[in-house]
Amino acid sequence: MSGRLEGKRVVITGTAANIGKATALLFAREGASLVVADLDERAQQTADDAAAQGAQASFVRTDVTSSDDMKRLMDAAAEAMGGIDVIVNNAGLQRSGRVTDFAEDDWDALMRVNPRSCFLSAKFGVPHLRHSGGGAIVNTASLAGVKGGPGMTAYSASKGAIIAFTKALAAELAPDRIRVNAICPGWIDTPFNQPAIDFMGGRDQQAKVIEAVVPMNRQGVPEEVADGMVFLASDMSSYMTGQALIIDGGVY
């Protein structure tokens, strides 16, 4: 442990698996105290694994689309840790399909989970950051929010909204010494991307696309995104706000 987050009190959503779990465990190794949140009860194991690494860690079951749940999460986290210094909004939803075939309910679900959860987190989390004298917010966007592609219209719109929200919120909260940045993963090898893989025609076809468009000729892994999360959450990025950090193997 190098202690890049020593003493930081952190809330992370979307921690049952994949990037969220990798981020929570790396934050624990870097010295943070954690409250992890998810609808999926597997996030309890994430909290247990973080605690096994010596971190103060607990799990709050949370529907990130619910105003009541998000307020309860932030209040409970502040009480458990004595305040909040960092919020990582990692909860997300993936759906793919051509725009003419795309279900309106799926569009609404993407907007409800992806940008709305970041809004609710800020609405109820910022007062606690202000009480701490400042802090950092990291929103998980996507390369799809910067560079769209076939079958990604709705998902790209939802992630592009997060990037725009991040930039506006950064300007709004700078006087409060609260930094706000986004992280934009490209192809990361997790089950989260299965809807996009299915749209492309399966793993073999996805592999051909990655070979054609990713200069590093491979997918990333969650731990490589977690390193970026630590950078944006820590004092290493103390003069950085309103940015979208792309981690994509060179696509963009």
Side-chain angles (χ1 to χ4, degrees):
M1 184 181 75
S2 64
R4 291 178 291 177
L5 295 172
E6 193 69 42
K8 301 291 188 185
R9 300 161 297 183
V10 182
V11 178
I12 310 177
T13 67
T15 53
N18 306 327
I19 291 172
K21 181 168 187 174
T23 297
L25 296 183
L26 181 56
F27 276 38
R29 292 195 295 275
E30 292 290 345
S33 299
L34 299 171
V35 171
V36 300
D38 207 300
L39 261 181
D40 190 332
E41 296 285 347
R42 290 181 298 165
Q44 178 63 63
Q45 186 61 55
T46 301
D48 292 345
D49 291 346
Q53 296 178 163
Q56 175 189 339
S58 58
F59 165 56
V60 177
R61 187 177 186 275
T62 306
D63 176 355
V64 296
T65 71
S66 164
S67 178
D68 289 343
D69 271 23
M70 288 297 276
K71 184 177 188 307
R72 179 174 57 86
L73 168 64
M74 297 302 170
D75 291 348
E79 182 175 357
M81 298 185 292
I84 300 173
D85 302 300
V86 177
I87 300 171
V88 178
N89 295 308
N90 180 69
L93 183 67
Q94 161 72 285
R95 295 285 186 271
S96 296
R98 298 191 185 282
V99 68
T100 51
D101 303 324
F102 205 80
E104 293 173 30
D105 286 348
D106 283 341
W107 174 281
D108 292 342
L110 284 169
M111 298 304 167
R112 189 169 58 248
V113 173
N114 293 345
R116 175 180 167 85
S117 65
C118 294
F119 159 65
L120 291 177
S121 172
K123 180 177 178 66
F124 298 114
V126 164
H128 293 293
L129 294 175
R130 284 179 174 144
H131 190 262
S132 297
I137 297 172
V138 184
N139 296 319
T140 301
S142 171
L143 180 63
V146 180
K147 181 182 185 297
M152 303 296 284
T153 52
Y155 183 68
S156 292
S158 73
K159 291 298 189 175
I162 290 176
I163 294 171
F165 177 73
T166 295
K167 291 178 179 295
L169 190 63
E172 184 172 313
L173 298 183
D176 296 304
R177 301 180 66 243
I178 298 171
R179 299 182 301 105
V180 189
N181 291 291
I183 198 160
C184 298
W187 281 106
I188 307 300
D189 194 9
T190 76
F192 180 82
N193 284 322
Q194 194 60 48
I197 295 169
D198 292 342
F199 176 81
M200 296 166 69
R203 296 279 299 193
D204 289 345
Q205 186 59 34
Q206 181 208 23
K208 293 177 182 177
V209 171
I210 288 169
E211 183 177 357
V213 305
V214 181
M216 292 184 71
N217 198 27
R218 67 174 177 86
Q219 295 189 79
V221 296
E223 289 74 16
E224 290 174 307
V225 181
D227 283 330
M229 296 281 203
V230 170
F231 172 70
L232 293 178
S234 74
D235 293 339
M236 291 187 296
S237 58
S238 59
Y239 196 54
M240 181 176 176
T241 195
Q243 302 302 307
L245 178 64
I246 297 172
I247 301 177
D248 70 348
V251 175
Y252 190 68

